[in-house]
């Protein structure tokens, strides 16, 4: 099988790594990729938002499967263009991807499907914004209706900050605050059959103790030792399957990766948001634990034959990912700094720990930072404590001037052995 992956972040590096380990994959391509992906896939330049260009590249490569990683190309209809060229594509249509592209659309689908979520208002004027903020009170949850690269949500007790964010958006969703821990649960679907993956938890705030501004994600871990063993079954029955069924009923079936961001509240599971693609950095830990070869599962989803797929096989190991970010992230990050220590990680920490590249590029013989989130250092272990120790040992070998990372990823879940 020849596979083309679209994207260039750590999520795509995780996907490419898993696909490169699949014996059925005979050729692996990625566009545009990054310095790390270049080690496992052949890179190509393409405008990821140009569906016709992506379809031409896939045809030129005689790809048997295209996997679209990021949300922006999906919302732009890239998967539609690839499928129109007769090439199987893992990723929802432009219409189905509105589940992520519009918070208001997602709320409408959830209401129709009876999916439990936060009460909310969709606001377009300052008057509507003020009424909604007053109705719910602090803490305020304000979400840009459109795509914002994981940074369109503000949760604050400061009404002026909430109001300012709301007014900076063309259209905004203001909703009630959901208490309780958050869980990310992915599911692969062909628009009818739904195959859940293992749950993960990510860390959105920039600083230890969930302080600081919201980011695209600073780390993640899996499994969740504190979660109810029946959680996946419950979410399948109340969230994932009803949502997939509702979108099919509307004539816009969702085929690809459906990501449910969940709050385990005092009143039960509630959906915080949907995404239409693998999450970053949760993908890094979920795929680290997946034993089933990935390519065949994605191809079955793309072809509508997921019902022939047996249950997925998971490692008993735990996985932890720690994101190394640029100076000043999540504000305008500094780029162009040399990254050192990657060879040391490969020599001393493999196979239990490895580095997935996010914002990197090659500059001569050096690899330099090229984005806000630069690396995802991922490790596995017999439990979360061991995986965490291995991840942070590898992080300690990496040198990137001005870089930052959280020191508390999975610490609480790992228990007493976590140290610190």
């Amino acid at each position: 099988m020849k596979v083309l992956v679209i994207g260039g972040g750590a999520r795509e590096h995780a996907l490419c790594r898993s696909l490169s380990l699949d014996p059925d994959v005979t050729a692996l391509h990625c566009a545009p990729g990054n310095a790390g992906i270049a080690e496992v896939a052949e890179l190509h330049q393409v405008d990821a938002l140009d569906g016709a260009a992506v379809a031409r590249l896939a045809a030129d490569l005689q790809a048997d499967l295209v996997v679209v990683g990021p949300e922006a190309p999906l919302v732009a209809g890239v998967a539609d263009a690839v499928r129109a060229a007769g090439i199987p594509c893992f990723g929802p249509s432009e219409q189905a991807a509105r589940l992520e592209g519009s918070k208001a659309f997602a709320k409408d689908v959830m209401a129709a499907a009876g999916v439990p979520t936060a009460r909310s208002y969709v606001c377009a004027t300052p008057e509507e914004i003020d009424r909604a903020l007053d109705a719910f009170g602090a803490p305020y949850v304000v979400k840009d209706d459109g795509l914002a690269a994981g940074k369109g949500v503000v949760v604050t007790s400061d009404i002026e900050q909430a109001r300012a964010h709301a007014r900076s958006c063309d259209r905004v969703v203001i909703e009630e605050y959901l208490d309780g821990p958050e869980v990310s649960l992915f599911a692969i679907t062909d628009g009818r059959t739904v195959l859940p993956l293992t749950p993960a938890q990510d860390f959105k705030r920039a600083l230890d103790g969930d302080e600081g501004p919201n980011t695209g994600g600073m780390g993640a871990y899996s499994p969740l030792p504190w979660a109810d063993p029946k959680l996946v079954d419950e979410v399948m029955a109340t969230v994932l399957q009803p949502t997939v069924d509702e979108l099919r009923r509307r004539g816009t079936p969702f085929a690809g990766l459906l990501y449910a961001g969940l709050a385990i509240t005092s009143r039960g599971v509630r959906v915080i948001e949907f995404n239409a693609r693998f999450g970053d950095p949760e993908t890094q830990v979920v795929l680290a634990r997946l034993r089933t070869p990935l390519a065949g599962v994605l191809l079955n989803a793309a072809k509508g034959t997921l019902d022939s797929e047996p249950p997925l096989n998971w490692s008993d190991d735990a996985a932890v990912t720690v994101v190394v970010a640029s100076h000043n992230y999540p504000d305008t990050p500094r780029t162009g700094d040399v990254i050192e220590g990657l060879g040391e990680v490969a020599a001393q920490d493999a196979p239990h720990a490895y580095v997935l590249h996010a914002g990197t590029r090659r500059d001569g013989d050096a690899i330099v930072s090229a984005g806000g989130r630069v690396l995802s250092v991922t490790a596995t272990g017999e439990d979360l404590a061991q995986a965490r120790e291995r991840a942070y040992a590898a992080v300690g070998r990496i040198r990137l001037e001005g870089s930052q990372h959280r020191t508390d990823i999975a610490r609480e879940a790992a228990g007493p052995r976590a140290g610190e």
Side-chain angles (χ1 to χ4, degrees), residues 181-262:
E182 295 184 13
V183 174
S184 300
L185 183 61
F186 304 163
I188 293 170
T189 178
D190 60 4
R192 189 177 298 271
T193 300
V194 181
L195 199 63
L197 305 189
T198 189
Q201 185 174 57
D202 76 334
F203 294 76
K204 287 292 188 192
R205 298 285 185 170
L207 307 177
D208 286 6
D210 291 328
E211 299 290 336
N214 223 31
T215 73
M218 294 298 290
Y221 69 92
S222 177
L224 311 182
W226 48 267
D228 187 327
K230 299 176 183 175
L231 176 65
V232 173
D233 291 341
E234 179 185 350
V235 175
M236 271 288 291
T238 63
V239 175
L240 297 172
Q241 193 71 56
T243 300
V244 169
D245 291 346
E246 172 61 20
L247 286 167
R248 188 177 70 251
R249 186 189 68 77
R250 293 177 178 221
T252 56
F254 188 106
L257 195 290
L258 179 57
Y259 165 136
L262 309 164

Side-chain angles (χ1 to χ4, degrees), residues 7 29 58 88-89 115 171 202 232 240 292 342 355 361 393 398 401:
H29 303 270
C89 184
V115 170
R171 193 160 78 142
D202 76 334
V232 173
L240 297 172
T292 302
L342 297 174
V355 179
R361 63 178 174 83
I398 292 168
E401 188 177 343

Side-chain angles (χ1 to χ4, degrees), residues 84-97:
I87 301 168
C89 184
F90 182 80
S93 67
E94 178 182 355
Q95 287 299 311

Side-chain angles (χ1 to χ4, degrees), residues 178-183 261-266 268-272:
L178 297 175
D179 65 328
E182 295 184 13
V183 174
L262 309 164
I264 313 302
T265 77
S266 54
V269 175
R270 298 287 186 271
V271 175
I272 300 169

Side-chain angles (χ1 to χ4, degrees), residues 24 81 131 144 160 176 183 188:
D24 288 337
R131 280 199 298 271
D144 191 330
E160 292 306 324
E176 68 176 327
V183 174
I188 293 170

Side-chain angles (χ1 to χ4, degrees), residues 51 111 128 183 248 262 275 314-315 339 341 348 373 387:
E128 290 174 343
V183 174
R248 188 177 70 251
L262 309 164
N275 290 335
W314 297 97
S315 166
I339 304 165
Q348 299 184 51
R373 292 186 294 174

